[in-house]
């Protein structure tokens, strides 16, 4: 079994994505991968930061623009947007959308169900304007 360095722990992909997104949201404009790496304390390899940014790009959570020979990255989504994207991706992968949605809704607690009803009501009202 591989030993972990003292004081370090392995972070999950979702946690790293959240850290990178948070760093990009703090930037005053588009940021380079090197800036993100520095902002996160420099304990991640540059290639790891690039991999995370590329995955976020594929998910639509960040955008990038050419900056010399490299890219500058901008957050296009917050954590809630990223979670919503993952939920839509799961829903899109299922053949019986109605059953998945029905199961999801019946599994909600009373407060979440009330909130969802309010949001759906707001969405309908906005569509009528």
């Amino acid at each position: 079994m591989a030993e972990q360095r003292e004081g370090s722990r392995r972070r999950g992909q979702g946690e790293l994505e959240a850290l990178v997104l948070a760093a990009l949201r703090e930037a005053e404009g588009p940021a380079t991968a090197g800036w993100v790496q520095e902002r996160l304390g420099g304990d991640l390899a540059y290639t790891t930061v690039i991999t995370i940014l590329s995955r976020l790009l594929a998910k639509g959570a960040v955008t990038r623009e050419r900056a010399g020979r490299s890219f500058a990255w901008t957050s296009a989504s917050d954590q809630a947007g990223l979670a919503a994207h993952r939920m839509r991706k799961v829903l899109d992968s299922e053949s019986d959308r109605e059953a998945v949605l029905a199961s999801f809704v019946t599994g909600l607690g009373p407060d979440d169900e009330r909130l969802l009803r309010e949001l759906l009501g707001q969405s309908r009202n906005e569509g009528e304007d």
Side-chain angles (χ1 to χ4, degrees), residues 69-118:
R69 293 179 15 203
S70 186
F71 291 101
W73 304 81
T74 305
S75 175
S77 179
D78 58 8
Q79 265 312 105
L82 190 55
H85 174 77
R86 286 193 301 263
M87 291 167 68
R88 281 190 303 274
K89 191 172 179 181
V90 168
L91 183 60
D92 289 345
S93 70
E94 297 297 325
S95 60
D96 190 349
R97 293 173 74 90
E98 183 177 347
V100 172
L101 286 170
S103 180
F104 176 75
V105 171
T106 58
L108 292 175
D111 291 340
D112 288 335
E113 184 178 344
R114 179 190 44 76
L115 178 58
L116 182 58
R117 288 182 188 282
E118 288 174 10

